[in-house]
Amino acid sequence: MQDTCGQGRGVVRLWTLLTVVRGRPHPSPRLQGDLTHDELLQALPAAETRFVVYNLAFATVEGARNEKTVLISWCPEAAEAEQRNAHSTSRNPIRDLLDGVQVYVQATDLSHLEYEELVSRTS
């Protein structure tokens, strides 16, 4: 998919990366600012859960620039059962707290978060 937004393929403005500790969300201080889509995927740990809120920039089929706020629920199968349970329990309360999220994605592996897959979910 060609990006005509002038921002590069899949450049995202990361709002926050959250982890759940003892049933409460905590921001991850290590990531902020603009990331490429590939950098975002690399930042997701293979064995820990996370919530990610960011703006996905893309071009529509007609070539118009567009941006959607995306909430990713990252819960890889390699995460410990206790962490997966805490993440699952926190998912709806976090989703309810966030105004303006236009796309919600549950992902257990990186194939669910491919750029084209996310863009296809925006329509």
Side-chain angles (χ1 to χ4, degrees), residues 68-101:
K68 298 277 183 165
T69 303
V70 178
L71 170 61
I72 295 173
S73 172
W74 172 246
C75 193
E77 294 179 14
E80 294 179 10
E82 182 178 327
Q83 190 178 51
R84 290 172 59 87
N85 289 338
H87 183 85
S88 178
T89 302
S90 301
R91 186 180 359 216
N92 286 335
I94 286 175
R95 190 175 180 178
D96 293 342
L97 286 173
L98 298 172
D99 290 332
V101 171

Side-chain angles (χ1 to χ4, degrees), residues 20 26 29 31 40-41 44-46 66 69 89 95 99 104 116:
V20 177
H26 296 276
L31 292 175
L40 175 63
L41 296 183
L44 294 172
N66 207 339
T69 303
T89 302
R95 190 175 180 178
D99 290 332
Y104 179 71
E116 289 79 13

Side-chain angles (χ1 to χ4, degrees), residues 28-50:
S28 175
R30 32 173 248 176
L31 292 175
Q32 294 180 0
D34 296 331
L35 304 173
T36 66
H37 185 75
D38 291 337
E39 289 170 334
L40 175 63
L41 296 183
Q42 290 172 1
L44 294 172
E48 296 178 14
T49 62
R50 294 287 187 273

Side-chain angles (χ1 to χ4, degrees), residues 10-15 53-57 67-70 102:
V11 173
V12 298
R13 175 70 185 155
L14 183 67
W15 285 14
V53 181
Y54 72 97
N55 289 335
L56 174 67
E67 190 173 282
K68 298 277 183 165
T69 303
V70 178
Q102 297 159 303

